[in-house]
Amino acid sequence: MQAGPGGAPLVGRDDELGALVAAALSGGGGVTLLAGEAGSGKTRLLDEVAGRAARAGARVLRGHAVPGGGAFRPLAEALAPAADPALGRDERVAAFRPVLARILPAWIAGAPDASHLVDPVLVLGEAVGELLGVIAGEGRVLVVLDDLHWADRDTLAVLEYLAGRLGGSRVRVLGSVRSDEHPPPGLAPLRRATGVATVNLGRLDAGDAARLAEAVVGGALSAEVREHVVGAAEGLPLLVEELAARLAELGAIAWRDGRWRAPGPLPTEVPEAFAETVAERVAALDPADRDVVRVAALLGRELPWDLLPTAVGAGADAAAGALRRAVDARLLVTGPDGALRWRHALTQDAVLAGLTGPERAVLAARAAAALDRPDLAGPALARVAELHARGGDPDRAAALLLRHAREHRAAGAPAAALGVLEQATALAGEGHRVPVAVERVEVLALAARTDDALAVGAHLLGAAAGGPRTALAVALARACVAAERLDEARAFLDGAGDPDDPRVLALAAHVALDAGAVGEALRLAALAVEDTEHPEAACEALEVVGRAHRRADPERSAAAFRRAADLAERHGLTDWRIRALSELGVADLFGTGDGASLRRGAELAREAGMLATATMLELQLIAVENGTRGPVASGVEAQRCAERAGRLGLRGLRGHALGFVARGLVFADRMAETDALFTEAAALSAHPVHVESARALAQAHDRWLAGDTPGAVPWFDAAVDLLRRAEGANAPPSWGERALLRTALAPDDDGPREELRASDVLVQSLNRGALHYCDAVAAAARGADPAPELLAGDELLVHRPFFRHLLRAYLIEHPVLGDPVPVLHEILAWAAGTDEVRLTRWCRERLHRLGALVPRPQRDRTDVPPDLRALGVTGREMEVLRLVGEGLANPEIASRLYLSRRTVETHVGNLLAKTGAADRGDLRSRLTD
């Protein structure tokens, strides 16, 4: 007749159930927390909601947190069954594969680097948000996470991020938390976050408690029994169920005259009765089974079957039998997934409370000795460390916790790593005190907590010696470098103990370069470069060499970065290889490269999960392609980059990307929208003067495109003047644009071009090309032949067609170019395959004024077959390819498409390279394949 604890229906929870079901099945996404004290029925209520959601067609994912369960444990458990690795091919998720592999072992990927610019927990939040969106598709997803009061801080941080991220989705997270315990770090910010709702679960009133008790025993209770159960349980559902079931189990109540009645005195009251009940159930087991149950309680909230038989020193059959008898004794239950769990967390607490201190120590030491082995990993490390600590070996516990913290750091869970390291610090003896401190300093430095890092490690430096001293000094110095506290960094390196250690030399070179001591930086770097035992130090030293020579000797600079990239590749140092490729990409940005280094660097960064670095490299690639594809197309890519940077919290990168978006809008005839973008970019930028220069340049382009060249020149002046007065100004092509326009308007005034000639902004090839055009104008003005200078400019800019066309358009009214009509036709032919509407209109207006033939607008873009588009063939290249297929020579193609012969040669060369064709005949065959 009895239902028994856990089998009773929900009673008195209609309002809470309705609110949770509504959140799960209607409206937008977000996070809902169910808060209640232990034993209030949170899990039972979540079970009911999950069942109803599944029957309504929602995809239900479930996970639960446990003490010491490791970083992201509940998320991993919930996502794993639904996250088939094939989902990683979806474009929304592809960039996050390495990040998701941290918590989804089936998603094989390279180890993600946790040292990049953005909070790795935030990156994981973005990754999980995208993955849940893919899983949901057109339906709804309900993620149920139980016992979040035991979740690690990083999991709570991910949920805080998701609360805002899921607002417009069809994904709802339901989580349960205890309200009667001190909240863990991270739970309070989660509860306050936008997009988080809380449903509070109180105790049952007397009527509902009585109905629940009657459901447990399967019949009505007499007034005496009802008052006893309701009064003793005080409305807590767990105690109502346990007490009612216990009364029936002990024979303290009997069925008579249609009710459960008490034939004698009723037993002691709850909660004392609950602890006594558990103790009695444990005592009723035979001694071997009791040991199994007690060791299981020491191992944690879960029952780790892979560890339990070894920890007990029993065979698997014996341990399994003991657990079966513990289920029969109502100490354990079998969950929906078939796994064994404690009937309630309070049950495990009661088992542990029944052990004396010495009994716990003996059992813990015995279990620790049995379980400790070299291949321990994950939560098992934390469990065995706790057993060592309880069993009297704290230093061994610290060693295992240090390994566990390094796992968390590698998985991108810095808060979890710091929590473990704090435990290790409290336990560590002399042998592990410094290694634990080094790890804490490095993790705190990654979190930009420099003062905390110094407080942890600086006081230990004097007592440390040898290798540990050097490692600690370098860690402290690197924390200071990250915070630009160079004097403190130098002091720590001076105290490293071994000034000739290549790690010390390389970082000292870095510090010297940042301080402007280029000669000293190169001297120190040269000493570290040749070291073969520390390739990371050699890579850092080569980076210093490359940066030091970037403007004065670009070729030497590029050689250093190439050497660093090769060295990093040989030693599997992905992060250093990406850094070297990034620096080589800057050479592409300033030079005539095609961005191949940037593309490869971005690809490697995505594969390594370094999304901040990948975003930065993609933005640099946009800067390269701005001169190739034009500002409108680059602006579209920049908008996507800005959105990603914003979600990842990369303020500076978002501000930089918005500048490219605004530039694209100017050329797309949407000038009115740029002011708000520049205002936001300035607020986000660490160097707003660069944003203000870009704003002035936008005004200059707008006036020039409107036909007001005299009105544009003062804005070009303003843009460059802002850069003159800025510290660390870069070398944008606005310098060359200004010099060329001023030279075209006043060829006898050599001031603008001579300033350009004397400036180090000529490291930028676009400015060098503009200078050649300036010299061509000056040559024509004095009666000399301008052709050599024009040709030199064209050759420099052949891989930056947009910028080449723009500079030649600045000269369209100057006789230096000869007949302007072919020049305008060439610009129009290039622009026909783009969205450069204002530049196109500008050319057409001038052709009308000249009375020349104006080509009809090309309404439909050239269709590129998918196989050729996959190779990167553009619409313009496809037009050239089709004419090659007709047997036309380059001069004929140039005439047909209003292009120069040199431009056609470039297109044919690109087609040969992209398709792998050997010659023009092989190219023609590609049209018939």
Side-chain angles (χ1 to χ4, degrees):
M1 180 173 286
Q2 296 170 226
L10 277 175
V11 175
R13 300 305 194 195
D14 291 347
D15 291 344
E16 296 89 345
L17 179 61
L20 294 174
V21 170
L25 296 179
S26 62
V31 175
T32 299
L33 297 178
L34 176 62
E37 60 189 304
S40 59
K42 299 182 296 297
T43 299
R44 176 72 180 83
L45 189 52
L46 290 182
D47 288 343
E48 182 67 23
V49 175
R52 294 193 183 194
R55 289 190 293 274
R59 183 75 179 271
V60 178
L61 313 178
R62 299 207 62 164
H64 69 290
V66 295
F72 311 120
R73 195 263 188 213
L75 287 171
E77 182 185 7
L79 291 172
D84 188 294
L87 294 179
R89 293 193 289 269
D90 188 286
E91 62 179 7
R92 291 170 291 176
V93 177
F96 295 105
R97 283 196 305 267
V99 179
L100 291 166
R102 296 171 181 164
I103 62 172
L104 299 171
W107 288 47
I108 300 172
D113 185 277
S115 63
H116 41 87
L117 303 174
V118 66
D119 182 352
V121 173
L122 189 151
V123 175
L124 182 60
E126 179 69 9
V128 171
E130 292 284 9
L131 177 60
L132 288 171
V134 171
I135 292 171
E138 297 300 318
R140 297 191 70 87
V141 167
L142 175 65
V143 184
V144 179
L145 303 177
D146 211 354
D147 294 331
L148 288 177
H149 43 273
W150 287 322
D152 60 288
R153 188 168 186 170
D154 295 300
T155 292
L156 298 175
V158 169
L159 293 178
E160 182 183 348
Y161 178 82
L162 287 175
R165 173 74 166 71
L166 297 176
S169 73
R170 296 166 63 84
V171 177
R172 172 66 58 172
V173 178
L174 294 184
S176 67
V177 295
R178 283 188 182 176
S179 59
D180 56 339
E181 295 183 359
H182 184 72
L187 187 55
L190 172 61
R191 297 186 73 162
R192 293 194 301 267
T194 302
V196 175
T198 301
V199 174
N200 293 302
L201 195 61
R203 296 195 174 196
L204 300 175
D205 62 26
D208 288 333
R211 283 191 291 276
L212 177 58
E214 290 176 339
V216 169
V217 297
L221 299 175
S222 67
E224 177 189 9
V225 174
R226 184 170 59 249
E227 289 172 7
H228 174 83
V229 172
V230 171
E234 298 181 344
L236 200 61
L238 172 70
L239 298 183
V240 171
E241 294 184 25
E242 287 289 341
L243 183 54
R246 185 62 170 162
L247 291 175
E249 180 183 325
L250 294 174
I253 57 176
W255 184 256
R256 192 176 68 248
D257 299 331
R259 290 184 183 278
W260 289 96
R261 303 179 185 275
L266 292 168
T268 185
E269 300 203 346
V270 179
E272 292 85 356
F274 179 73
E276 289 177 6
T277 296
V278 173
E280 290 171 3
R281 290 172 180 169
V282 173
L285 300 171
D286 65 42
D289 290 354
R290 280 201 299 272
D291 273 356
V292 171
V293 170
R294 288 167 173 168
V295 171
L298 284 169
L299 289 177
R301 299 293 184 192
E302 292 185 306
L303 295 173
W305 176 248
D306 57 328
L307 302 180
L308 187 57
T310 302
V312 177
D317 290 343
L323 295 178
R324 166 48 58 194
R325 288 183 284 277
V327 171
D328 295 338
R330 294 184 179 174
L331 296 169
L332 307 176
V333 293
T334 303
D337 56 357
L340 291 177
R341 297 187 177 92
W342 294 100
R343 178 171 290 277
H344 194 275
L346 296 176
T347 309
Q348 182 208 11
D349 293 340
V351 172
L352 290 175
L355 293 171
T356 65
E359 285 176 325
R360 287 194 195 192
V362 169
L363 284 172
R366 189 175 72 193
L371 293 173
D372 199 342
R373 58 181 187 267
D375 61 345
L376 280 177
L381 277 170
R383 288 193 182 99
V384 177
E386 183 178 0
L387 291 172
H388 276 302
R390 285 182 169 180
D393 191 353
D395 198 51
R396 180 57 184 165
L400 296 180
L401 290 173
L402 177 58
R403 284 167 53 189
H404 195 36
R406 286 170 176 161
E407 289 181 340
H408 285 319
R409 179 179 172 183
L418 286 173
V420 172
L421 288 168
E422 288 169 4
Q423 299 175 48
T425 300
L427 295 168
E430 197 62 36
H432 291 95
R433 189 167 293 128
V434 172
V436 169
V438 170
E439 191 72 18
R440 285 184 74 188
V441 168
E442 291 178 351
V443 176
L444 287 165
L446 291 174
R449 293 169 56 183
T450 306
D451 289 333
D452 291 339
L454 302 190
V456 163
H459 69 283
L460 296 174
L461 194 58
R469 179 187 179 92
T470 300
L472 181 57
V474 169
L476 290 165
R478 201 172 290 284
C480 292
V481 169
E484 300 183 357
R485 293 158 61 166
L486 301 184
D487 290 341
E488 291 173 84
R490 200 175 292 113
F492 282 122
L493 291 173
D494 290 343
D498 182 2
D500 297 324
D501 187 293
R503 294 168 295 177
V504 176
L505 291 169
L507 187 54
H510 188 155
V511 172
L513 185 64
D514 285 354
V518 176
E520 177 66 3
L522 288 171
R523 183 188 72 80
L524 293 168
L527 296 173
V529 160
E530 302 305 326
D531 182 79
T532 58
E533 294 184 9
H534 298 90
E536 299 98 329
C539 287
E540 182 168 18
L542 286 166
E543 183 180 282
V544 169
V545 173
R547 289 173 54 203
H549 288 301
R550 174 172 287 144
R551 289 200 173 189
D553 192 345
E555 291 186 5
R556 189 173 180 181
S557 171
F561 291 134
R562 281 194 293 270
R563 185 178 170 189
D566 292 342
L567 180 65
E569 184 175 14
R570 287 200 306 274
H571 291 276
L573 304 174
T574 301
D575 53 340
W576 282 107
R577 185 182 177 204
I578 291 169
R579 287 176 64 156
L581 290 171
S582 171
E583 296 290 357
L584 283 169
V586 174
D588 283 349
L589 184 60
F590 286 163
T592 59
D594 61 359
S597 294
L598 289 171
R599 289 188 185 88
R600 182 58 181 146
E603 178 184 345
L604 286 173
R606 286 190 293 269
E607 290 174 358
M610 300 169 63
L611 293 189
T613 302
T615 303
M616 178 186 68
L617 294 173
E618 288 162 3
L619 188 56
Q620 289 180 347
L621 190 58
I622 287 169
V624 171
E625 294 185 342
N626 184 68
T628 305
R629 302 172 59 203
V632 176
S634 297
V636 173
E637 294 298 322
Q639 179 64 45
R640 286 194 280 266
C641 193
E643 291 169 359
R644 172 65 56 81
R647 290 197 298 270
L648 296 179
L650 302 170
R651 291 170 54 84
L653 289 182
R654 175 170 170 81
H656 194 182
L658 290 176
F660 283 105
V661 175
R663 177 180 170 87
L665 293 178
V666 173
F667 282 80
D669 206 11
R670 295 164 60 186
M671 181 69 186
E673 301 173 42
T674 62
D675 189 61
L677 292 176
F678 281 124
T679 299
E680 181 183 353
L684 295 171
S685 176
H687 302 288
V689 65
H690 296 294
V691 178
E692 294 308 318
S693 176
R695 191 196 296 261
L697 184 62
Q699 293 287 348
H701 286 145
D702 179 58
R703 279 160 176 73
W704 179 81
L705 288 164
D708 181 12
T709 300
V713 171
W715 285 105
F716 277 112
D717 290 342
V720 170
D721 187 55
L722 284 163
L723 295 177
R724 284 195 195 99
R725 295 184 279 110
E727 292 186 8
N730 52 20
S734 51
W735 290 85
E737 292 181 71
R738 170 191 177 266
L740 182 58
L741 268 178
R742 280 212 163 273
T743 300
L745 290 173
D748 294 335
D749 180 6
D750 62 358
R753 68 176 181 277
E754 292 308 318
E755 179 190 20
L756 181 61
R757 194 186 315 279
S759 170
D760 62 0
V761 300
L762 288 184
V763 69
Q764 166 64 268
S765 65
L766 303 184
N767 287 326
R768 296 200 302 276
L771 181 59
H772 282 298
Y773 288 162
C774 288
D775 288 340
V777 171
R782 63 176 183 267
D785 182 8
E789 294 293 346
L790 286 174
L791 180 61
D794 286 347
E795 289 177 344
L796 263 177
L797 301 175
V798 67
H799 296 296
R800 301 288 186 270
F802 167 78
F803 199 71
R804 173 176 172 270
H805 292 315
L806 181 66
L807 292 184
R808 289 167 70 86
Y810 289 161
L811 299 175
I812 207 70
E813 296 178 0
H814 194 281
V816 69
L817 294 180
D819 184 359
V821 173
V823 177
L824 291 167
H825 279 161
E826 183 177 351
I827 298 173
L828 275 178
W830 173 84
T834 73
D835 287 317
E836 297 293 337
V837 293
R838 289 192 76 181
L839 184 60
T840 298
R841 186 165 65 233
W842 186 92
C843 291
R844 294 175 65 81
E845 288 170 352
R846 272 134 197 86
L847 287 171
H848 276 297
R849 293 177 192 171
L850 292 168
L853 172 68
V854 181
R856 295 178 62 185
Q858 209 170 319
R859 300 185 183 279
D860 298 316
R861 301 245 177 90
T862 300
D863 182 34
V864 181
D867 58 333
L868 291 177
R869 187 170 294 283
L871 296 175
V873 174
T874 66
R876 172 60 77 194
E877 289 167 349
M878 191 66 210
E879 290 178 326
V880 172
L881 178 57
R882 288 193 173 117
L883 295 178
V884 168
E886 293 176 17
L888 273 64
N890 286 353
E892 297 168 297
I893 295 173
S895 177
R896 182 83 63 89
L897 297 179
Y898 299 104
L899 299 175
S900 70
R901 293 185 184 183
R902 185 175 299 277
T903 299
V904 173
E905 289 170 3
T906 299
H907 285 316
V908 173
N910 288 341
L911 285 166
L912 291 170
K914 291 178 179 180
T915 63
D919 51 31
R920 295 172 76 92
D922 196 6
L923 269 180
R924 282 194 290 272
S925 70
R926 299 305 172 107
L927 289 171
T928 58
D929 286 348

